[in-house]
Amino acid sequence: MNSAYAIGASFLAVLGFVGLRVPIAFALILGAVAGLFLVYGWYPGEAFDPEAALRPMMSVLADVPFRFVHSYELSTIPLYILLGAVAHKSGITTDVFRSMRVLLGRMPGGLAVACIFGCGGFSALSGSSLACAAAMGRISIPEMIDNGYDRRLAAGTVAMGGTVGSMIPPSIPFLLFAILAEVSVGQLLLAGILPGLLTLLGYVITVQIWVRLRPEAAPGRAVRVSGRDMLGAILGLWPATLLFAIIAVGIFTGLFTTIQSAAVSVIAATLIGIARGALRLSDMYEALEEAVSQSAQLFIMAFGAKVLITLVAASDLTSGLIGWTQHAGLEPWQIMAAIIVLFLILGMFLDPSGILLLMVPITLPIVSDLGYDLIWYAVIVVKLLEIGLVTPPMGLNAFMVNASVPRSHAVDLREVFAGIAPFLVLEAVVTGLLLGFPIISLLIPGMM
């Protein structure tokens, strides 16, 4: 059977299962197994032989999970998920917003800008944009509305701010990509720093343009902040700063490996929570339970993606697609543009983890054979996943913001998407810069 048909049938099977509300992990496994069954059992010019397909397919299903669970780098995922849970239980994540609110509250649109930085810090440490949207939606949106902020601006900043956590280390999407692509986890985590900071800066600029064009959207506040308040706000940032330094600086300098930085940061967050009296034994139990549950879900999905990678290799899809593109006269940038469009379309309907685990196995060999740097490609993929979190009709972050705001300050879903729209223009600009100037992504990893 033609390999393209097998891959196409597998891809459609996965989308079909997802449409039937089958969990993405099992949809990936079932789709990949169906594709392998076709590839191994249907040779050109011969009748389909299920017995011939069964043995190699079962061999793949026995070998892939064994090799997968024996990956040393895999242990970083539960550790970083645990870090996020402990940091949240200890109040470290919400302290970022409270401190930035004091430091930036007096500037035009200061609460919105503080919310962006708070969301960025929260989602980076927690590893979950949805958790950030839920928590910050309850905390910051009512405060902004009470201070006269436009509901669209308030909701848009929370929905967009949480997406940055996918780019800034520790980043679960980068960890998953590194495991699937078998590239350096440390380099990938560091690669997201400059793009993440560029995105944050772009969000701040977007807010400033918004409030200058429409001053009524963010009335100024004549609030006096004492030197003691400023000092307290600066000191309130030290736990989050310490955790970020352990991860980023530790990996960059070689002081820690990726796994060591994850373990040390978990220990540091736990000690901080205990010292502040914010982390009880029950909280630690809930954090461990959350880490185990989320890790198990991600591992099953990643196992399905690994089987899908085996299908792509067995079908020799890459050489076939490269030959087709050469015959069609397509340039590498045109193929990359098609991949980006496909990511954006899927981002409208699927969750980010599902898109990453479905698309990376298929596109990775193509991008590699075209000569593109895989570290740079990972940054582009994560940026597209960020955009998918706020793109209608799904826009998971938008729905989470809409659901999390207290009824007394309820924000309509249309207002949330209206608030997101100006930031999407900025996202298009940042994505263009990342595509046009790969050095933004590769500078820090290249210095290791």
Side-chain angles (χ1 to χ4, degrees):
M1 185 180 188
N2 189 297
S3 62
Y5 292 134
I7 294 291
S10 178
F11 188 80
L12 291 176
V14 173
L15 293 181
F17 286 129
V18 171
L20 293 173
R21 299 296 183 91
V22 175
I24 185 67
F26 299 108
L28 282 168
I29 294 172
L30 291 172
V33 167
L36 284 171
F37 201 63
L38 292 174
V39 168
Y40 289 136
W42 212 330
Y43 291 94
E46 298 181 13
F48 180 69
D49 187 354
E51 293 185 6
L54 192 60
R55 183 181 294 273
M57 187 187 70
M58 295 303 295
S59 177
V60 169
L61 293 178
D63 183 62
V64 169
F66 178 82
R67 292 180 180 274
F68 176 71
V69 297
H70 282 75
S71 169
Y72 183 59
E73 298 292 343
L74 197 65
S75 56
T76 55
I77 291 180
L79 284 172
Y80 279 135
I81 294 175
L82 179 59
L83 168 63
V86 171
H88 178 50
K89 299 288 185 183
S90 302
I92 297 172
T93 51
T94 50
D95 280 352
V96 177
F97 169 68
R98 295 191 178 99
S99 294
M100 299 307 293
R101 179 182 58 184
V102 174
L103 297 173
L104 303 174
R106 291 183 295 176
M107 69 181 294
L111 284 178
V113 174
C115 178
I116 288 171
F117 282 103
C119 286
F122 188 113
S123 58
L125 289 174
S126 69
S128 172
S129 296
L130 293 178
C132 172
M136 297 300 290
R138 290 192 298 267
I139 297 171
S140 60
I141 291 180
E143 181 171 351
M144 283 191 275
I145 292 175
D146 288 341
N147 282 273
Y149 276 60
D150 188 305
R151 291 174 179 269
R152 293 169 295 181
L153 175 60
T157 52
V158 173
M160 295 301 304
T163 64
V164 186
S166 299
M167 192 71 72
I168 299 174
S171 166
I172 301 301
F174 276 140
L175 292 174
L176 288 174
F177 188 101
I179 291 170
L180 294 177
E182 299 181 356
V183 296
S184 169
V185 175
Q187 287 188 330
L188 268 186
L189 292 177
L190 295 177
I193 294 177
L194 288 183
L197 294 176
L198 178 63
T199 302
L200 280 175
L201 177 62
Y203 289 169
V204 173
I205 293 173
T206 301
V207 170
Q208 292 303 304
I209 293 174
W210 190 331
V211 301
R212 277 170 171 74
L213 292 177
R214 298 189 59 197
E216 70 277 8
R221 297 194 311 164
V223 178
R224 289 186 177 181
V225 179
S226 66
R228 176 175 294 181
D229 292 334
M230 295 288 285
L231 179 60
I234 294 172
L235 293 176
L237 293 172
W238 78 264
T241 304
L242 174 64
L243 296 179
F244 177 79
I246 290 173
I247 297 168
V249 179
I251 293 174
F252 180 78
T253 60
L255 182 63
F256 300 127
T257 65
T258 307
I259 297 176
Q260 289 170 344
S261 69
V264 173
S265 59
V266 169
I267 294 171
T270 303
L271 293 177
I272 291 170
I274 294 173
R276 300 168 70 176
L279 189 65
R280 299 168 298 180
L281 186 61
S282 60
D283 295 325
M284 196 65 199
Y285 176 81
E286 291 175 2
L288 288 167
E289 188 177 41
E290 182 180 332
V292 170
S293 175
Q294 291 188 26
S295 298
Q297 295 175 40
L298 288 173
F299 287 173
I300 296 174
M301 288 193 290
F303 163 56
K306 279 287 191 179
V307 177
L308 198 59
I309 289 175
T310 305
L311 169 61
V312 172
S315 63
D316 199 26
L317 175 69
T318 306
S319 60
L321 284 176
I322 295 298
W324 177 81
T325 55
Q326 291 174 346
H327 180 73
L330 295 178
E331 297 292 332
W333 69 267
Q334 292 174 309
I335 301 172
M336 194 68 196
I339 292 174
I340 291 172
V341 170
L342 186 56
F343 265 101
L344 292 174
I345 292 174
L346 291 176
M348 297 179 182
F349 305 100
L350 300 178
D351 69 278
S353 296
I355 299 170
L356 187 147
L357 294 169
L358 173 63
M359 289 297 296
V360 168
I362 297 173
T363 61
L364 192 66
I366 300 172
V367 172
S368 178
D369 279 12
L370 289 173
Y372 290 114
D373 189 286
L374 294 184
I375 300 292
W376 168 81
Y377 178 59
V379 173
I380 299 300
V381 167
V382 173
K383 170 54 69 177
L384 296 175
L385 295 179
E386 287 182 356
I387 296 173
L389 278 169
V390 291
T391 306
M394 288 296 286
L396 296 178
N397 266 24
F399 281 92
M400 184 60 73
V401 168
N402 171 253
S404 64
V405 179
R407 290 185 178 180
S408 58
H409 297 79
V411 178
D412 188 82
L413 189 60
R414 289 174 295 181
E415 293 176 316
V416 180
F417 281 119
I420 288 170
F423 293 96
L424 289 179
V425 176
L426 177 277
E427 288 284 17
V429 173
V430 173
T431 304
L433 290 174
L434 295 177
L435 288 168
F437 301 95
I439 189 65
I440 298 174
S441 305
L442 301 177
L443 179 61
I444 296 181
M447 297 169 63
M448 289 183 66

CSV table of all heavy atoms in Angstrom, one decimal, residues 156-208:
chain,number,residue,atom,x,y,z
A,156,GLY,N,-8.7,40.1,28.0
A,156,GLY,CA,-7.6,39.8,27.0
A,156,GLY,C,-6.3,39.6,27.6
A,156,GLY,O,-5.5,38.7,27.2
A,157,THR,N,-5.9,40.5,28.6
A,157,THR,CA,-4.6,40.4,29.2
A,157,THR,C,-4.4,39.0,29.9
A,157,THR,O,-3.3,38.4,29.9
A,157,THR,CB,-4.3,41.5,30.1
A,157,THR,OG1,-5.4,41.7,31.1
A,157,THR,CG2,-4.2,42.8,29.3
A,158,VAL,N,-5.4,38.6,30.6
A,158,VAL,CA,-5.3,37.3,31.4
A,158,VAL,C,-5.2,36.2,30.4
A,158,VAL,O,-4.4,35.3,30.6
A,158,VAL,CB,-6.5,37.2,32.3
A,158,VAL,CG1,-6.5,35.8,33.0
A,158,VAL,CG2,-6.5,38.2,33.4
A,159,ALA,N,-6.1,36.2,29.4
A,159,ALA,CA,-6.1,35.0,28.5
A,159,ALA,C,-4.8,34.9,27.7
A,159,ALA,O,-4.2,33.8,27.5
A,159,ALA,CB,-7.2,35.2,27.5
A,160,MET,N,-4.2,36.1,27.3
A,160,MET,CA,-2.9,36.1,26.6
A,160,MET,C,-1.7,35.9,27.5
A,160,MET,O,-0.8,35.2,27.1
A,160,MET,CB,-2.8,37.4,25.8
A,160,MET,CG,-3.8,37.6,24.7
A,160,MET,SD,-3.8,36.3,23.4
A,160,MET,CE,-2.2,36.3,22.9
A,161,GLY,N,-1.8,36.5,28.7
A,161,GLY,CA,-0.6,36.4,29.5
A,161,GLY,C,-0.2,35.0,29.9
A,161,GLY,O,0.9,34.6,30.0
A,162,GLY,N,-1.3,34.1,30.1
A,162,GLY,CA,-1.0,32.8,30.5
A,162,GLY,C,-0.3,31.9,29.4
A,162,GLY,O,0.3,30.9,29.8
A,163,THR,N,-0.4,32.3,28.2
A,163,THR,CA,0.2,31.5,27.1
A,163,THR,C,1.7,31.6,27.1
A,163,THR,O,2.4,30.7,26.6
A,163,THR,CB,-0.3,32.0,25.7
A,163,THR,OG1,0.1,33.3,25.5
A,163,THR,CG2,-1.8,31.9,25.7
A,164,VAL,N,2.3,32.6,27.7
A,164,VAL,CA,3.7,32.8,27.7
A,164,VAL,C,4.5,31.7,28.4
A,164,VAL,O,5.6,31.4,28.1
A,164,VAL,CB,4.1,34.2,28.2
A,164,VAL,CG1,5.6,34.5,28.0
A,164,VAL,CG2,3.4,35.3,27.5
A,165,GLY,N,3.8,31.1,29.4
A,165,GLY,CA,4.4,30.1,30.2
A,165,GLY,C,4.9,28.9,29.4
A,165,GLY,O,5.8,28.1,29.8
A,166,SER,N,4.3,28.7,28.2
A,166,SER,CA,4.7,27.6,27.4
A,166,SER,C,6.1,27.8,26.8
A,166,SER,O,6.8,26.9,26.4
A,166,SER,CB,3.7,27.4,26.2
A,166,SER,OG,2.4,27.1,26.7
A,167,MET,N,6.5,29.1,26.8
A,167,MET,CA,7.8,29.4,26.1
A,167,MET,C,8.9,29.6,27.2
A,167,MET,O,10.1,29.2,26.9
A,167,MET,CB,7.6,30.7,25.4
A,167,MET,CG,8.8,31.0,24.4
A,167,MET,SD,8.9,30.0,23.0
A,167,MET,CE,7.5,30.5,22.0
A,168,ILE,N,8.6,30.1,28.3
A,168,ILE,CA,9.6,30.4,29.4
A,168,ILE,C,9.8,29.1,30.2
A,168,ILE,O,8.9,28.5,30.7
A,168,ILE,CB,9.2,31.5,30.2
A,168,ILE,CG1,9.0,32.8,29.4
A,168,ILE,CG2,10.2,31.8,31.4
A,168,ILE,CD1,8.4,34.0,30.1
A,169,PRO,N,11.1,28.7,30.5
A,169,PRO,CA,11.4,27.5,31.3
A,169,PRO,C,10.9,27.7,32.7
A,169,PRO,O,11.0,28.8,33.2
A,169,PRO,CB,12.9,27.4,31.2
A,169,PRO,CG,13.4,28.8,30.8
A,169,PRO,CD,12.3,29.4,30.0
A,170,PRO,N,10.4,26.6,33.3
A,170,PRO,CA,10.4,25.2,32.7
A,170,PRO,C,9.1,25.1,31.8
A,170,PRO,O,8.0,25.5,32.2
A,170,PRO,CB,10.2,24.3,33.9
A,170,PRO,CG,9.6,25.2,35.0
A,170,PRO,CD,10.0,26.6,34.7
A,171,SER,N,9.3,24.5,30.7
A,171,SER,CA,8.2,24.4,29.7
A,171,SER,C,7.9,22.9,29.4
A,171,SER,O,8.8,22.2,28.8
A,171,SER,CB,8.6,25.1,28.4
A,171,SER,OG,7.7,24.8,27.4
A,172,ILE,N,6.7,22.5,29.7
A,172,ILE,CA,6.3,21.1,29.4
A,172,ILE,C,6.3,20.8,27.9
A,172,ILE,O,6.8,19.8,27.4
A,172,ILE,CB,5.0,20.7,30.0
A,172,ILE,CG1,5.0,20.9,31.6
A,172,ILE,CG2,4.6,19.3,29.7
A,172,ILE,CD1,6.1,20.1,32.2
A,173,PRO,N,5.8,21.7,27.0
A,173,PRO,CA,5.8,21.5,25.6
A,173,PRO,C,7.2,21.3,25.1
A,173,PRO,O,7.5,20.4,24.2
A,173,PRO,CB,5.2,22.7,25.0
A,173,PRO,CG,4.2,23.2,26.1
A,173,PRO,CD,4.9,22.9,27.3
A,174,PHE,N,8.2,22.0,25.6
A,174,PHE,CA,9.6,21.9,25.1
A,174,PHE,C,10.1,20.5,25.6
A,174,PHE,O,10.9,19.8,24.8
A,174,PHE,CB,10.5,23.0,25.7
A,174,PHE,CG,10.5,24.2,24.8
A,174,PHE,CD1,10.5,25.5,25.4
A,174,PHE,CD2,10.5,24.2,23.5
A,174,PHE,CE1,10.4,26.6,24.7
A,174,PHE,CE2,10.5,25.3,22.7
A,174,PHE,CZ,10.4,26.6,23.3
A,175,LEU,N,9.8,20.1,26.8
A,175,LEU,CA,10.2,18.8,27.3
A,175,LEU,C,9.7,17.7,26.4
A,175,LEU,O,10.4,16.7,26.0
A,175,LEU,CB,9.8,18.6,28.7
A,175,LEU,CG,10.4,19.5,29.8
A,175,LEU,CD1,9.8,19.3,31.1
A,175,LEU,CD2,11.9,19.2,29.9
A,176,LEU,N,8.4,17.7,26.0
A,176,LEU,CA,7.8,16.7,25.2
A,176,LEU,C,8.4,16.7,23.8
A,176,LEU,O,8.7,15.7,23.2
A,176,LEU,CB,6.3,17.0,25.0
A,176,LEU,CG,5.4,16.7,26.3
A,176,LEU,CD1,4.0,17.1,26.1
A,176,LEU,CD2,5.5,15.2,26.6
A,177,PHE,N,8.7,17.9,23.3
A,177,PHE,CA,9.3,18.0,21.9
A,177,PHE,C,10.7,17.4,22.0
A,177,PHE,O,11.1,16.6,21.1
A,177,PHE,CB,9.4,19.5,21.5
A,177,PHE,CG,9.9,19.6,20.1
A,177,PHE,CD1,8.9,19.9,19.1
A,177,PHE,CD2,11.2,19.5,19.7
A,177,PHE,CE1,9.4,20.1,17.8
A,177,PHE,CE2,11.6,19.7,18.4
A,177,PHE,CZ,10.7,20.0,17.4
A,178,ALA,N,11.5,17.7,23.1
A,178,ALA,CA,12.8,17.2,23.2
A,178,ALA,C,12.8,15.6,23.2
A,178,ALA,O,13.7,15.0,22.6
A,178,ALA,CB,13.5,17.7,24.4
A,179,ILE,N,11.9,15.0,23.9
A,179,ILE,CA,11.8,13.6,24.0
A,179,ILE,C,11.4,13.0,22.7
A,179,ILE,O,12.0,12.0,22.2
A,179,ILE,CB,10.8,13.2,25.1
A,179,ILE,CG1,11.3,13.6,26.5
A,179,ILE,CG2,10.5,11.7,25.0
A,179,ILE,CD1,10.3,13.4,27.6
A,180,LEU,N,10.5,13.6,21.9
A,180,LEU,CA,10.1,13.1,20.6
A,180,LEU,C,11.2,13.2,19.6
A,180,LEU,O,11.4,12.3,18.8
A,180,LEU,CB,8.8,13.8,20.2
A,180,LEU,CG,7.5,13.5,21.0
A,180,LEU,CD1,6.4,14.4,20.5
A,180,LEU,CD2,7.1,12.1,21.0
A,181,ALA,N,11.8,14.4,19.6
A,181,ALA,CA,12.8,14.7,18.6
A,181,ALA,C,14.2,14.2,19.0
A,181,ALA,O,15.1,14.3,18.1
A,181,ALA,CB,12.9,16.2,18.3
A,182,GLU,N,14.4,13.8,20.2
A,182,GLU,CA,15.7,13.3,20.7
A,182,GLU,C,16.8,14.4,20.6
A,182,GLU,O,17.8,14.2,20.1
A,182,GLU,CB,16.1,12.0,20.1
A,182,GLU,CG,15.1,10.9,20.3
A,182,GLU,CD,15.5,9.6,19.7
A,182,GLU,OE1,16.6,9.6,18.9
A,182,GLU,OE2,14.9,8.6,19.9
A,183,VAL,N,16.4,15.6,21.0
A,183,VAL,CA,17.3,16.8,21.0
A,183,VAL,C,17.6,17.2,22.5
A,183,VAL,O,16.9,16.7,23.4
A,183,VAL,CB,16.8,18.0,20.2
A,183,VAL,CG1,16.7,17.6,18.7
A,183,VAL,CG2,15.5,18.5,20.7
A,184,SER,N,18.5,18.1,22.7
A,184,SER,CA,18.9,18.5,24.0
A,184,SER,C,17.8,19.2,24.8
A,184,SER,O,17.3,20.2,24.3
A,184,SER,CB,20.2,19.4,24.0
A,184,SER,OG,20.4,20.0,25.2
A,185,VAL,N,17.4,18.7,25.9
A,185,VAL,CA,16.4,19.3,26.7
A,185,VAL,C,16.8,20.7,27.2
A,185,VAL,O,16.1,21.7,27.2
A,185,VAL,CB,16.0,18.4,27.9
A,185,VAL,CG1,15.0,19.2,28.8
A,185,VAL,CG2,15.4,17.1,27.4
A,186,GLY,N,18.1,20.7,27.7
A,186,GLY,CA,18.6,22.0,28.2
A,186,GLY,C,18.6,23.1,27.1
A,186,GLY,O,18.2,24.2,27.4
A,187,GLN,N,19.1,22.8,25.9
A,187,GLN,CA,19.1,23.8,24.8
A,187,GLN,C,17.7,24.2,24.5
A,187,GLN,O,17.5,25.4,24.2
A,187,GLN,CB,19.8,23.2,23.6
A,187,GLN,CG,21.3,23.1,23.7
A,187,GLN,CD,21.9,22.7,22.4
A,187,GLN,OE1,21.4,22.0,21.6
A,187,GLN,NE2,23.2,23.1,22.2
A,188,LEU,N,16.7,23.3,24.5
A,188,LEU,CA,15.4,23.7,24.2
A,188,LEU,C,14.8,24.6,25.2
A,188,LEU,O,14.1,25.6,24.9
A,188,LEU,CB,14.5,22.5,24.1
A,188,LEU,CG,14.3,21.8,22.7
A,188,LEU,CD1,13.3,20.7,22.7
A,188,LEU,CD2,13.9,22.9,21.7
A,189,LEU,N,15.0,24.3,26.5
A,189,LEU,CA,14.5,25.2,27.5
A,189,LEU,C,15.1,26.6,27.5
A,189,LEU,O,14.4,27.6,27.6
A,189,LEU,CB,14.8,24.6,28.9
A,189,LEU,CG,14.0,23.3,29.3
A,189,LEU,CD1,14.5,22.8,30.6
A,189,LEU,CD2,12.5,23.5,29.3
A,190,LEU,N,16.4,26.7,27.2
A,190,LEU,CA,17.0,28.0,27.1
A,190,LEU,C,16.6,28.7,25.8
A,190,LEU,O,16.6,30.0,25.8
A,190,LEU,CB,18.6,27.8,27.1
A,190,LEU,CG,19.2,27.3,28.4
A,190,LEU,CD1,20.7,27.1,28.3
A,190,LEU,CD2,18.9,28.2,29.5
A,191,ALA,N,16.3,28.0,24.8
A,191,ALA,CA,15.9,28.6,23.5
A,191,ALA,C,14.6,29.4,23.6
A,191,ALA,O,14.4,30.4,22.9
A,191,ALA,CB,15.7,27.5,22.4
A,192,GLY,N,13.8,29.1,24.6
A,192,GLY,CA,12.5,29.8,24.8
A,192,GLY,C,12.6,31.1,25.5
A,192,GLY,O,11.6,31.9,25.6
A,193,ILE,N,13.8,31.4,26.1
A,193,ILE,CA,13.9,32.6,27.0
A,193,ILE,C,13.7,33.9,26.2
A,193,ILE,O,12.8,34.7,26.5
A,193,ILE,CB,15.2,32.6,27.7
A,193,ILE,CG1,15.3,31.4,28.7
A,193,ILE,CG2,15.4,33.9,28.5
A,193,ILE,CD1,16.6,31.3,29.5
A,194,LEU,N,14.5,34.1,25.2
A,194,LEU,CA,14.4,35.3,24.4
A,194,LEU,C,13.0,35.5,23.7
A,194,LEU,O,12.4,36.5,23.7
A,194,LEU,CB,15.6,35.5,23.4
A,194,LEU,CG,16.9,35.7,24.0
A,194,LEU,CD1,18.0,35.9,22.9
A,194,LEU,CD2,16.9,37.0,24.9
A,195,PRO,N,12.5,34.4,23.0
A,195,PRO,CA,11.2,34.5,22.4
A,195,PRO,C,10.1,34.8,23.5
A,195,PRO,O,9.2,35.6,23.2
A,195,PRO,CB,11.0,33.2,21.8
A,195,PRO,CG,12.4,32.7,21.5
A,195,PRO,CD,13.2,33.2,22.6
A,196,GLY,N,10.3,34.2,24.7
A,196,GLY,CA,9.3,34.5,25.7
A,196,GLY,C,9.3,35.9,26.2
A,196,GLY,O,8.3,36.6,26.3
A,197,LEU,N,10.5,36.5,26.4
A,197,LEU,CA,10.7,37.9,26.8
A,197,LEU,C,10.2,38.8,25.7
A,197,LEU,O,9.6,39.8,26.0
A,197,LEU,CB,12.1,38.2,27.2
A,197,LEU,CG,12.7,37.4,28.4
A,197,LEU,CD1,14.2,37.7,28.6
A,197,LEU,CD2,11.9,37.8,29.6
A,198,LEU,N,10.5,38.4,24.4
A,198,LEU,CA,10.0,39.3,23.3
A,198,LEU,C,8.5,39.3,23.3
A,198,LEU,O,7.9,40.4,23.0
A,198,LEU,CB,10.6,38.7,22.0
A,198,LEU,CG,10.1,39.4,20.7
A,198,LEU,CD1,10.7,40.8,20.7
A,198,LEU,CD2,10.6,38.6,19.5
A,199,THR,N,7.9,38.2,23.5
A,199,THR,CA,6.4,38.1,23.6
A,199,THR,C,5.9,39.0,24.7
A,199,THR,O,4.9,39.7,24.5
A,199,THR,CB,5.9,36.7,23.7
A,199,THR,OG1,6.5,35.9,22.6
A,199,THR,CG2,4.4,36.6,23.7
A,200,LEU,N,6.5,38.8,25.9
A,200,LEU,CA,6.0,39.7,27.0
A,200,LEU,C,6.1,41.2,26.7
A,200,LEU,O,5.2,41.9,27.0
A,200,LEU,CB,6.8,39.3,28.3
A,200,LEU,CG,6.4,38.1,29.1
A,200,LEU,CD1,7.4,37.9,30.2
A,200,LEU,CD2,5.0,38.2,29.6
A,201,LEU,N,7.3,41.6,26.1
A,201,LEU,CA,7.5,43.0,25.7
A,201,LEU,C,6.4,43.4,24.7
A,201,LEU,O,5.9,44.5,24.8
A,201,LEU,CB,8.9,43.1,25.1
A,201,LEU,CG,9.2,44.5,24.6
A,201,LEU,CD1,9.1,45.6,25.7
A,201,LEU,CD2,10.6,44.6,24.0
A,202,GLY,N,6.1,42.5,23.8
A,202,GLY,CA,5.1,42.8,22.8
A,202,GLY,C,3.7,43.0,23.4
A,202,GLY,O,2.9,43.9,23.0
A,203,TYR,N,3.4,42.2,24.4
A,203,TYR,CA,2.1,42.3,25.1
A,203,TYR,C,2.0,43.7,25.8
A,203,TYR,O,1.0,44.4,25.8
A,203,TYR,CB,1.9,41.2,26.1
A,203,TYR,CG,1.7,39.9,25.5
A,203,TYR,CD1,1.7,38.7,26.3
A,203,TYR,CD2,1.4,39.7,24.2
A,203,TYR,CE1,1.4,37.4,25.8
A,203,TYR,CE2,1.1,38.4,23.6
A,203,TYR,CZ,1.2,37.3,24.4
A,203,TYR,OH,0.9,36.1,23.9
A,204,VAL,N,3.1,44.1,26.5
A,204,VAL,CA,3.2,45.4,27.2
A,204,VAL,C,3.0,46.5,26.2
A,204,VAL,O,2.2,47.4,26.4
A,204,VAL,CB,4.5,45.5,27.9
A,204,VAL,CG1,4.6,46.9,28.5
A,204,VAL,CG2,4.6,44.5,29.0
A,205,ILE,N,3.7,46.4,25.0
A,205,ILE,CA,3.5,47.5,24.0
A,205,ILE,C,2.1,47.5,23.5
A,205,ILE,O,1.5,48.6,23.3
A,205,ILE,CB,4.5,47.2,22.8
A,205,ILE,CG1,5.9,47.4,23.3
A,205,ILE,CG2,4.2,48.1,21.7
A,205,ILE,CD1,7.0,47.0,22.3
A,206,THR,N,1.4,46.3,23.3
A,206,THR,CA,0.0,46.3,22.9
A,206,THR,C,-0.9,47.0,23.9
A,206,THR,O,-1.8,47.7,23.5
A,206,THR,CB,-0.4,44.8,22.7
A,206,THR,OG1,0.4,44.2,21.8
A,206,THR,CG2,-1.8,44.7,22.2
A,207,VAL,N,-0.7,46.7,25.2
A,207,VAL,CA,-1.5,47.4,26.2
A,207,VAL,C,-1.3,48.9,26.2
A,207,VAL,O,-2.2,49.7,26.3
A,207,VAL,CB,-1.1,46.8,27.6
A,207,VAL,CG1,-1.8,47.7,28.7
A,207,VAL,CG2,-1.6,45.4,27.7
A,208,GLN,N,0.0,49.3,26.0
A,208,GLN,CA,0.3,50.8,26.0
A,208,GLN,C,-0.4,51.4,24.8
A,208,GLN,O,-0.9,52.6,24.9
A,208,GLN,CB,1.8,51.0,26.0
A,208,GLN,CG,2.5,50.6,27.3
A,208,GLN,CD,2.0,51.3,28.5
A,208,GLN,OE1,1.9,52.5,28.5
A,208,GLN,NE2,1.5,50.5,29.5
